[in-house]
Amino acid sequence: MGLADFMKGGEHEAAASEIMNMDISTELSAPLVAKHLVYQAAGGYDKVCEARGKPESIEKAQEMMSLFWTAFLAKFIENGVKIDNEAEVKSEAERLSKQVLIDSGEYQS
């Protein structure tokens, strides 16, 4: 089971679904965006792990997750999505990434 599979049916997937169904002119809250970004990042993380193997440490795994969610955030901003607090999104996405990696059993704190 991959990280994205672990997250299915939870609050991250719900956030992703909510964002995908919103009007682009709606200003999005930082926690909602962070959950969506981490959910999307998990798919990329799983593909890399499948091709290259799982990172040896939680720090490396977090770094990989950060690369993915940062790219998704940049795409949001590029497409004109309004986010209420970008710094809060980054902080929350970083925290959620680590928590998901731990909660999934992939790594220990």
Side-chain angles (χ1 to χ4, degrees):
M1 176 170 86
L3 195 56
D5 293 327
F6 169 76
M7 297 170 72
K8 286 202 185 295
E11 62 187 56
H12 297 84
E13 184 179 39
S17 179
E18 186 176 339
I19 286 176
M20 298 306 283
N21 293 315
M22 287 181 135
D23 181 347
I24 194 167
S25 65
T26 304
E27 185 171 89
L28 303 176
S29 72
L32 183 68
V33 173
K35 288 175 187 172
H36 172 74
L37 294 175
V38 171
Y39 181 73
Q40 296 300 322
Y45 172 88
D46 287 344
K47 287 179 184 175
V48 171
C49 288
E50 187 176 304
R52 297 186 180 166
K54 190 171 99 169
E56 67 274 1
S57 69
I58 192 168
E59 292 79 17
K60 293 283 186 187
Q62 277 185 271
E63 186 177 316
M64 187 189 315
M65 287 286 287
S66 291
L67 291 172
F68 285 112
W69 65 252
T70 300
F72 285 115
L73 177 59
K75 196 67 167 172
F76 263 42
I77 293 166
E78 180 183 305
N79 287 327
V81 175
K82 296 175 185 149
I83 300 168
D84 68 358
N85 186 335
E86 189 178 334
E88 186 181 345
V89 169
K90 291 176 181 179
S91 176
E92 183 68 3
E94 194 65 38
R95 185 190 70 74
L96 289 171
S97 293
K98 182 175 184 179
Q99 194 61 52
V100 166
L101 289 164
I102 293 167
D103 290 350
S104 69
E106 291 280 316
Y107 297 92
Q108 296 182 1
S109 57

